[in-house]
């Protein structure tokens, strides 16, 4: 079965049809830049462009980089325009996509569900935490395979700063950090999250997961197992499609 998934990020909006039997993209993904400022209208137009690129006319799953309650209402907007707060995203995207059935889910939660079903978290019990390092830091927490939604652990305080301002992939670029320097920040963040939740497994996702060999071996002192996401930066698209499949 194929369902369409769209992953909305602070820098890019990417999507593709997903083969939910295989847990992989059915076609090469299409990406457009996230408009700046990332207003509801601008982002909705970007989503429309991605979906229409494939001529898709079925259910669409979408991730959002913030808290999503009730499958529709946006509650936080750290890395997009603040006008998103209290927006009914399901209604907005549904209208822009000509009435197609739409499901909306937190971006890291979507990636986490995909990794737990198809990837690095498959058949893992206990507490598993997926962390996506990109424009910000997203999180998905699972206890015996069940999702604790909308955790947003990237906003924990670390050294007097929001953690994602210090340890996200964007922070590495903005501060021109070496892999060694950035790994020390990531290590400190993981130690903090481990102190709070004592997970058995950390899954590291986001675009930087493709380069896990450059920084994961440098992280020390974390007791939990640390592995890169197997679906890498496609996990959000796959997870969004999984949520949309529930509409059928």
């Amino acid at each position: 079965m194929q369902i369409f998934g769209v992953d909305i990020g602070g820098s890019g909006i990417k999507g593709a049809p997903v083969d939910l039997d295989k847990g992989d993209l059915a076609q090469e993904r299409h990406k457009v830049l996230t408009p700046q400022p990332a207003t509801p209208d601008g982002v909705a137009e970007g989503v429309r462009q991605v979906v229409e690129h494939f001529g898709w006319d079925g259910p669409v799953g979408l991730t959002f980089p913030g808290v999503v309650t009730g499958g529709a209402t946006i509650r936080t907007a750290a890395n997009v325009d603040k006008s998103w707060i209290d927006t009914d995203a399901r209604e907005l995207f549904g209208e822009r996509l000509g009435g197609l059935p739409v499901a909306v889910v937190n971006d890291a939660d979507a990636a986490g569900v995909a990794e737990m079903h198809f990837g690095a978290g498959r058949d893992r019990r206990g507490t598993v935490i997926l962390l996506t390092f990109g424009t910000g830091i997203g999180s998905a927490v699972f206890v015996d395979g069940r999702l604790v939604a909308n955790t947003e652990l990237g906003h924990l305080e670390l050294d007097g700063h929001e953690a994602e301002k210090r340890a996200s992939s964007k922070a590495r670029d903005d501060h021109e950090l070496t892999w060694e320097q950035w790994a020390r920040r990531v290590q400190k963040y993981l130690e903090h999250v481990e102190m709070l939740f004592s997970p058995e497994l950390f899954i590291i996702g986001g675009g930087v997961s493709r380069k896990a060999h450059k920084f994961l071996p440098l992280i020390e002192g974390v007791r939990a197992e640390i592995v890169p996401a197997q679906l890498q930066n496609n996990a959000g698209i796959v997870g969004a499609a999984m949520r949309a499949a529930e509409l059928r």
Side-chain angles (χ1 to χ4, degrees):
M1 178 175 65
Q2 290 189 15
I3 298 286
F4 203 91
V6 179
D7 190 12
I8 299 170
S11 59
I13 301 169
K14 53 189 182 292
V18 174
D19 184 333
L20 288 181
D21 296 318
K22 298 179 179 178
D24 199 3
L25 306 191
Q27 298 182 49
E28 185 176 348
R29 71 188 190 188
H30 181 66
K31 179 178 179 178
V32 300
L33 295 179
T34 303
Q36 303 299 331
T39 62
D41 185 65
V43 170
E45 175 59 22
V47 168
R48 184 195 65 78
Q49 291 174 18
V50 170
V51 174
E52 288 195 355
H53 174 82
F54 293 90
W56 186 261
D57 63 356
V60 177
L62 301 113
T63 75
F64 184 82
V67 171
V68 182
T69 58
T73 306
I74 305 304
R75 295 302 187 196
T76 65
N79 295 305
V80 290
D81 194 79
K82 296 298 184 275
S83 58
W84 273 102
I85 295 174
D86 294 329
T87 294
D88 186 326
R90 184 165 54 200
E91 180 180 358
L92 170 69
F93 290 123
E95 289 179 355
R96 188 59 63 96
L97 296 177
L100 295 181
V102 168
V104 185
V105 61
N106 172 269
D107 56 350
D109 286 351
V113 166
E115 281 293 328
M116 293 297 288
H117 192 79
F118 293 110
R122 189 172 184 176
D123 298 326
R124 294 296 295 256
R125 309 300 290 174
T127 301
V128 177
I129 300 180
L130 173 131
L131 297 167
T132 60
F133 291 82
T135 304
I137 298 176
S139 62
V141 178
F142 296 85
V143 179
D144 291 334
R146 296 178 63 87
L147 173 68
V148 181
N150 292 309
T151 49
E152 292 288 283
L153 300 181
H155 304 300
L156 290 171
E157 182 180 322
L158 187 65
D159 293 335
H161 301 274
E162 219 175 8
E164 67 177 23
K165 304 299 184 187
R166 298 280 297 165
S168 66
S169 182
K170 183 177 186 295
R172 183 179 70 85
D173 293 336
D174 288 349
H175 298 289
E176 299 181 346
L177 301 175
T178 65
W179 286 108
E180 290 79 7
Q181 290 170 328
W182 186 62
R184 285 197 290 273
R185 294 189 180 194
V186 172
Q187 175 180 310
K188 199 162 191 177
Y189 173 63
L190 293 178
E191 289 173 342
H192 187 54
V193 175
E194 183 171 59
M195 180 269 293
L196 294 171
F197 294 95
S198 301
E200 282 78 16
L201 176 67
F202 281 117
I203 303 172
I204 306 302
V208 76
S209 61
R210 295 191 302 269
K211 301 176 181 178
H213 63 284
K214 293 189 175 183
F215 67 94
L216 285 189
L218 302 174
I219 294 175
E220 301 174 341
V222 177
R223 302 181 74 173
E225 182 182 359
I226 309 172
V227 299
Q230 291 182 9
L231 303 183
Q232 297 184 345
N233 210 22
N234 290 334
I237 296 175
V238 174
M242 291 175 68
R243 181 58 61 90
E246 299 171 8
L247 300 173
R248 288 194 161 180

